[in-house]
Amino acid sequence: MSNLDAILKSFHLQDELNPKIWGGDSNIPKMNPKVRTRLLEIANDFIEFLDVDIIVSNIIMTGSLANYNWSEFSDVDTHILVDFDQFSDEERPLYEELFYLKKSVYNDKHNITIFGYDVELYVEDESAVKEVKNIGIYSIMDDDWVTTPDSESVDINYDRISEKAKQWMKTIDIVIEDTEDNDIESAKNTIHKCTEKIRKYRESGLQKGGEYSEENLVFKILRRNGYLEKIRGFKDKLVDKRLSLKERQQQMIKK
């Protein structure tokens, strides 16, 4: 089975929420108390790492492990919700970039897992969560569901999302190939435009169709097969390459 086939197979709905994360006696599962305690500790450590004076409105878990489409590829998606209206129009893009960079550094610096699932931390605008449809969202802070996940079967067009994923993979490969010889700023701008298109593509899907939307599933394929990391990592490698001074270049400078 190819990697793509394995990822597509992982989208099948499970009969229950992940029993390692969820339990309880009621019909509506609650988060395992040990998991909740540990996630609060992790989230607070991350907030301290941000080293920014912000008002946190909630700490939530979402994604496939808060829904019925969990699999071996799942992450513990832990989001720190912040009201971005507390920032001015001029400050907002700067804070968004700062939060993204801090998230990347923190996740790269640490290898934190919950029962074998990687913990992924994000800072997210609280308004964006309100716009998402049909997706399980659990408040770790309040120990209760914000939105209860739907266990009903969904119609997934596997051929279509496979084809769409291949198109995005081809686009990413082309962007990398076309920017390899560009100057740093031009390459960074091109890569940024590509990653922004992917992000907005996913967000539109979440708002229209939720967790099982075509756009979100395509995004999951790109993340799980390493293509998102491929384009993000390429930017860093390109910057390193452009800024490095090799011995041959030093000799040419002397001449």
Side-chain angles (χ1 to χ4, degrees):
M1 180 183 294
S2 69
N3 187 42
L4 181 56
D5 289 338
I7 294 172
L8 289 170
K9 187 178 179 180
S10 72
F11 294 148
H12 290 291
L13 298 190
Q14 305 280 358
D15 295 330
E16 61 179 354
L17 296 178
N18 190 298
K20 294 180 179 179
I21 308 294
W22 309 99
D25 299 327
S26 65
N27 293 329
I28 302 177
K30 300 281 284 188
M31 181 174 283
N32 180 329
K34 292 182 179 179
V35 172
R36 178 174 177 263
T37 298
R38 187 53 51 87
L39 287 179
L40 284 174
E41 291 174 352
I42 296 167
N44 286 325
D45 185 64
F46 177 60
I47 292 169
E48 185 177 339
F49 174 77
L50 291 175
D51 195 25
V52 176
D53 186 17
I54 54 174
I55 300 172
V56 175
S57 57
N58 208 341
I59 301 171
I60 64 169
M61 176 177 167
T62 188
S64 57
L65 275 175
N67 288 273
Y68 288 89
N69 61 329
W70 57 273
S71 71
E72 62 181 298
F73 297 102
S74 296
D75 295 320
V76 182
D77 290 328
T78 305
H79 294 205
I80 313 301
L81 298 190
V82 172
D83 182 4
F84 277 32
D85 287 341
Q86 66 189 274
F87 310 127
S88 68
D89 292 341
E90 293 77 16
E91 291 175 332
R92 180 166 179 149
L94 298 176
Y95 274 102
E96 288 177 344
E97 181 67 15
L98 173 64
F99 292 147
Y100 173 77
L101 292 173
K102 286 277 191 174
K103 180 265 296 186
S104 299
V105 171
Y106 189 89
N107 288 333
D108 288 342
K109 183 178 179 182
H110 298 280
N111 182 26
I112 304 172
T113 62
I114 298 292
F115 297 126
Y117 296 103
D118 291 334
V119 176
E120 289 288 331
L121 293 142
Y122 305 85
V123 176
E124 187 172 19
D125 185 1
E126 63 178 14
S127 64
V129 175
K130 297 174 183 177
E131 297 172 354
V132 176
K133 285 184 58 179
N134 305 325
I135 183 172
I137 301 173
Y138 195 86
S139 172
I140 305 171
M141 185 181 289
D142 299 331
D143 195 21
D144 201 5
W145 289 100
V146 177
T147 306
T148 307
D150 190 351
S151 61
E152 294 182 6
S153 61
V154 293
D155 183 21
I156 298 176
N157 189 328
Y158 292 96
D159 291 337
R160 181 171 173 81
I161 64 172
S162 175
E163 185 58 35
K164 286 288 185 180
K166 289 177 181 176
Q167 290 175 11
W168 275 110
M169 289 157 61
K170 185 175 181 180
T171 297
I172 290 172
D173 285 335
I174 291 173
V175 167
I176 289 175
E177 183 179 347
D178 289 349
T179 58
E180 197 159 10
D181 295 325
N182 290 0
D183 62 87
I184 292 177
E185 288 306 314
S186 176
K188 286 169 65 175
N189 288 335
T190 302
I191 293 170
H192 177 72
K193 287 179 182 178
C194 181
T195 54
E196 274 296 289
K197 284 183 180 179
I198 296 172
R199 182 183 65 81
K200 291 178 180 178
Y201 174 76
R202 183 203 191 189
E203 286 183 354
S204 68
L206 286 171
Q207 293 169 13
K208 292 185 297 182
E211 175 75 6
Y212 309 111
S213 66
E214 172 187 298
E215 294 87 349
N216 189 47
L217 295 181
V218 168
F219 178 87
K220 285 179 180 290
I221 291 175
L222 297 177
R223 183 171 63 184
R224 293 175 179 180
N225 70 3
Y227 258 78
L228 290 183
E229 183 59 34
K230 181 177 182 178
I231 190 167
R232 290 168 181 165
F234 174 75
K235 182 178 73 172
D236 295 334
K237 291 178 182 177
L238 187 65
V239 171
D240 291 348
K241 181 179 179 181
R242 292 287 186 275
L243 295 181
S244 295
L245 182 63
K246 297 181 180 179
E247 185 175 351
R248 183 180 177 185
Q249 292 173 313
Q250 176 69 6
Q251 291 172 350
M252 292 177 65
I253 292 173
K254 290 180 178 180
K255 291 179 180 180

